[in-house]
Amino acid sequence: MAEAVESLSSIKDLNVQAAAAKAPVAAKIDKHGRSYGTGRRKTATARVWVKRGTGKITVNGKDIVDYFARPVLRLMIKQPLEAAKRDSEVDVVCTVKGSGLTGQAGAVRHGIARALVEFEPELRTAMRPQKLLTRDPRAVERKKYGKAKARRSFQFSKR
């Protein structure tokens, strides 16, 4: 039994050594100094580029205040930047299509988080606990035949 304990501890030591020997993940930055991330939510898709700058966020060629008028949506979009403490250090440029404003804001948030991790891989530890890198799988349920909507039936009448 003592041999098994020694071998398990030696395996644990090997795992620790292997983790320490792992090379750090390199940042993926293009020739313009940008990193790219794709974000999705409901039926919205956002293409996001992050680069060093002053903290300006542009969505579909417009400033964030003009595109997302509701403050709640702007707060939602800035979550990954605040989690990484980079809200005044990087510029964000994105294009977003599909869905409504809430879905688009969720897609932009997801894209910013992914682009930041591509830009600085060590930020993954800041993003993971807040679930900013996880795609929200919820989408509208399809309409079934014989139903008024996805689940709602037509009004019943005896006569």
Side-chain angles (χ1 to χ4, degrees):
M1 187 70 180
E3 292 173 11
V5 172
E6 287 176 20
S7 65
L8 287 175
S9 63
S10 63
I11 290 172
K12 195 174 189 180
D13 292 338
L14 286 173
N15 287 340
V16 170
Q17 290 171 359
K22 249 187 206 177
V25 179
K28 293 181 184 173
I29 299 172
D30 67 4
K31 63 183 177 184
H32 302 290
R34 306 176 301 183
S35 286
Y36 174 77
T38 305
R40 293 186 186 90
R41 169 82 168 92
K42 294 187 176 181
T43 56
T45 303
R47 300 182 308 155
V48 180
W49 290 271
V50 172
K51 64 178 181 176
R52 292 261 177 245
T54 58
K56 186 178 179 192
I57 301 174
T58 310
V59 181
N60 288 352
K62 296 181 182 178
D63 190 48
I64 187 173
V65 180
D66 298 332
Y67 196 85
F68 293 107
R70 287 191 289 175
V72 175
L73 298 179
R74 291 195 299 265
L75 259 164
M76 194 168 123
I77 289 170
K78 291 180 182 177
Q79 277 179 338
L81 296 169
E82 289 166 0
K85 297 181 177 79
R86 301 283 188 276
D87 36 356
S88 60
E89 296 176 25
V90 293
D91 286 346
V92 177
V93 176
C94 63
T95 59
V96 63
K97 293 180 183 177
S99 196
L101 284 178
T102 306
Q104 288 186 351
V108 170
R109 179 179 86 163
H110 187 224
I112 289 173
R114 288 173 111 181
L116 278 172
V117 169
E118 292 289 321
F119 198 66
E120 295 179 50
E122 60 273 4
L123 291 178
R124 180 176 283 278
T125 56
M127 303 285 181
R128 259 293 162 223
Q130 296 183 25
K131 295 191 168 83
L132 294 171
L133 297 171
T134 307
R135 189 226 193 270
D136 189 346
R138 294 177 295 172
V140 176
E141 191 174 344
R142 75 172 191 87
K143 183 196 175 300
K144 281 77 171 186
Y145 57 88
K147 298 279 186 178
K149 294 169 78 175
R151 296 188 181 195
R152 190 194 185 296
S153 298
F154 295 108
Q155 183 175 342
F156 177 74
S157 174
K158 214 172 213 183
R159 294 181 233 292

